Amino acid sequence: MGELTYEIGQNAYIKLVLHALKHKSSSVNGVLVGRFDASKEVVQISDAVPLFHSNIGLLPPLEIALMQIEEHYSSQGLSLVGYFHANERADDSDLNNVAKNIGDHLCRYFPQAGVLLLDNKKLEALPKVKDRTPVMQLYSRDGSKWKVEDSGRLVMKEPSANIILLDYVSTQKWEDIVDFDDHLDNISEDWLNVELFK
């Protein structure tokens, strides 16, 4: 078996980064939704759901969120394929225990689940360097540990995703992102963010 590749769609990618930008002074997380193409050994990440920006390690809200997300996406033939995390401090580039524990939980149901950690340095440099690679680092499970993967294993489905992202950043589009915290505070807030890209 060769190495798995994780291919992230533009909208999923942008949603996660905007979620982190909206809550710059706190850790944020989200789940990756998609499917596994065994013939190509590709985990296709087609959507992402921003979860929390406060108390991200609390189990009851997480369980409620995961149940609702799975119920919604299973009808489309999609499932949870990974986890996203952005640390509270911009200089913190370590995968913390909360991220590892949630990643471990997802691996029980989808063994190929990956964890994406926002790379704040790459995100900050993006307007200057015009990089086309993701501003996040991929971790995969190796036995019982999480290890950082070669950057070539996480690819953008649409090569122009960072250009679109910079456009959204310049217009402060992050103000429109809704996560599960927002939804639990006010159920009229749509955690699917269907209006975000209209």
Side-chain angles (χ1 to χ4, degrees), residues 59 63 70 80 100-113 141 146:
L59 207 50
E63 288 177 339
E70 283 179 304
L80 300 179
K100 290 175 186 173
N101 291 340
I102 295 173
D104 288 343
H105 176 77
L106 292 174
C107 279
R108 285 189 209 125
Y109 304 97
F110 182 70
Q112 301 87 356
R141 196 139 166 234
W146 287 93

Side-chain angles (χ1 to χ4, degrees), residues 120-170:
N120 286 299
K121 289 185 179 75
K122 274 186 92 169
L123 178 59
E124 197 176 297
L126 195 58
K128 300 182 254 329
V129 296
K130 305 286 192 253
D131 193 349
R132 287 180 174 255
T133 61
V135 294
M136 33 192 86
Q137 182 64 57
L138 171 66
Y139 287 78
S140 70
R141 196 139 166 234
D142 185 14
S144 62
K145 296 192 179 339
W146 287 93
K147 67 171 187 159
V148 67
E149 290 294 347
D150 174 58
S151 61
R153 292 196 44 209
L154 176 64
V155 296
M156 304 270 217
K157 185 173 182 188
E158 296 88 356
S160 61
N162 278 339
I163 297 164
I164 307 297
L165 173 63
L166 285 173
D167 186 43
Y168 282 138
V169 169
S170 70

